[in-house]
Amino acid sequence: MTARPKVVITDYDYGDVEIERSILEPVGAEIVALQAKSEDDLIEAARDCDAIMNQYARVGARTIRAMENCKVIARYGVGVDIVDVAAAAEKGILVTNVRDYCTEEVADHAISLWLALARGLFPYDRATHRGIWRWQSAAPLHRLRGQTVGIVSFGKIGQAIAARAASFGVRIVVCDPYLAPGVAEAHGARQVDKAELLRISDVVMMQVPMTAETRHFLSEAEFRAMKPTALVINTGRGPTIDNKALYRALTEGWIAGAGLDDPEEEPAKRGGWNPADNPIFSLQNVIVTPHAAYYSEESIRAAREIAASEVARVLTGQPPRNPVNAAALALRA
């Protein structure tokens, strides 16, 4: 009797894995659901797996080298920086991700963070709850119309942010070295380099993937180059912003405020976390959400269904729809 393919889910915070079971068990797979926070928690279960699905846990080279039969590593989201893609290709393992499942949610979240800061919603709310009824509680606020919004990375999410921001009568500039000519203009924006975007923007919208090149994309030099009234919004990866430099920028008046969907330490990827470890959480001019920009009930379901379907396709001999490293594997064939 042939053994059932083993699918290891490294970690999940969805409450259950019933959606995954409904897709994978009909193709004969056995699901092993873990809550791994390190490779040490994962490596033994992964050794004889046929597939891995991961949400936050890193699947690194050590785990990949130990795998004896794995065919696919499926990320629940877009970014694959927590998978050693090169090591997977070396081992002949496909890596897949989930694309276009949360464009609307992330764009809405970015605009919401901007408006909450720009219109002083949190200081007003804190003041009124203390019995203070004064329009000055959030002063100074500035008119949005006529401001400049700078968007860093102009893929589908950046373009969706631009479409929403345009309704407020702002000018839009974008910085993306990989953008094809004419794309920015087609979306009512102007393409500029990093230095100009930082110099002229009243709000900098970060939607940057995590790579070696984008780590600390915004650090001390960048914050010093910005307007003292500028806001920074990050619905991309936390480590693209140097939080120590951001703290100085916010406390010393280099910029006015920040809205972050994830701090640099990315708490969901840690076994233990305390906000006291990051002084950003002590500041009143910062809004932090728990890496929730992608979230709606609809987007969560889509991510789970797509990731599980990719595994099912590979296990049944079909090509995945969202391969990350297919070209690298083809070169090794």
Side-chain angles (χ1 to χ4, degrees):
M1 181 176 177
T2 304
R4 298 169 65 191
K6 177 180 174 181
V7 178
V8 171
I9 298 176
T10 63
D11 62 316
Y12 61 97
D13 58 9
Y14 309 128
D16 60 52
V17 292
E18 293 311 305
I19 290 174
E20 292 79 359
R21 290 189 193 281
S22 71
I23 293 169
L24 292 166
E25 288 185 348
V27 301
E30 170 197 5
I31 293 178
V32 176
L34 309 176
Q35 290 295 0
K37 291 298 182 183
S38 70
E39 289 197 88
D40 289 336
D41 299 332
L42 172 63
I43 196 163
E44 285 307 314
R47 193 176 301 278
D48 64 344
C49 75
D50 295 271
I52 274 191
M53 301 173 65
N54 71 318
Q55 186 181 11
Y56 300 120
R58 177 168 176 78
V59 181
R62 185 161 65 95
T63 299
I64 291 168
R65 284 194 297 267
M67 292 175 179
E68 298 167 354
N69 196 44
C70 187
K71 300 173 182 66
V72 60
I73 300 169
R75 265 285 288 132
Y76 274 112
V78 179
V80 291
D81 57 290
I82 57 172
V83 176
D84 192 323
V85 178
E90 185 73 21
K91 191 86 172 182
I93 300 171
L94 275 163
V95 176
T96 67
N97 65 354
V98 178
R99 304 168 196 171
D100 303 332
Y101 76 103
C102 62
T103 298
E104 305 305 321
E105 286 82 358
V106 176
D108 290 345
H109 202 87
I111 296 296
S112 299
L113 289 171
W114 170 38
L115 295 180
L117 286 166
R119 293 303 307 159
L121 299 190
F122 282 81
Y124 277 140
D125 180 71
R126 287 191 292 266
T128 57
H129 277 73
R130 295 196 306 269
I132 301 169
W133 199 265
R134 299 177 70 246
W135 59 262
Q136 296 93 338
S137 297
L141 301 181
H142 299 281
R143 181 175 295 166
L144 300 183
R145 185 166 295 273
Q147 289 190 7
T148 297
V149 171
I151 302 174
V152 184
S153 188
F154 204 59
K156 289 185 177 180
I157 294 175
Q159 292 166 19
I161 291 171
R164 289 157 170 76
S167 65
F168 292 93
V170 298
R171 294 179 292 271
I172 299 170
V173 295
V174 304
C175 174
D176 187 333
Y178 304 102
L179 196 63
V183 172
E185 290 72 17
H187 290 84
R190 179 169 66 91
Q191 189 164 4
V192 297
D193 62 19
K194 179 180 180 180
E196 184 175 0
L197 182 141
L198 295 174
R199 180 176 59 82
I200 68 175
S201 293
D202 296 286
V203 56
V204 174
M205 298 273 197
M206 292 276 288
Q207 189 51 49
V208 181
M210 186 61 210
T211 67
E213 292 73 27
T214 61
R215 181 175 178 80
H216 289 181
F217 183 90
L218 294 185
S219 193
E220 181 170 335
E222 287 78 16
F223 292 127
R224 287 187 180 277
M226 294 171 65
K227 296 179 180 181
T229 54
L231 304 173
V232 171
I233 307 298
N234 188 17
T235 45
R237 299 303 297 275
T240 61
I241 295 181
D242 179 345
N243 276 197
K244 290 181 179 178
L246 177 61
Y247 180 80
R248 286 196 64 195
L250 291 164
T251 55
E252 297 181 19
W254 308 348
I255 64 172
L260 311 176
D261 187 45
D262 211 0
E264 182 176 356
E265 64 267 30
E266 297 184 304
K269 297 176 182 175
R270 297 192 169 208
W273 173 78
N274 189 319
D277 296 336
N278 188 338
I280 287 292
F281 286 87
S282 69
L283 302 180
Q284 297 294 307
N285 54 348
V286 179
I287 302 171
V288 186
T289 55
H291 198 171
Y294 69 92
Y295 167 67
S296 70
E297 289 298 303
E298 294 80 4
S299 67
I300 285 286
R301 185 174 189 90
R304 296 173 68 183
E305 290 176 343
I306 293 168
S309 295
E310 290 289 70
V311 172
R313 289 177 66 83
V314 174
L315 293 181
T316 56
Q318 303 173 69
R321 292 194 171 97
N322 300 303
V324 172
N325 64 341
L329 290 177
L331 289 174
R332 293 180 53 80

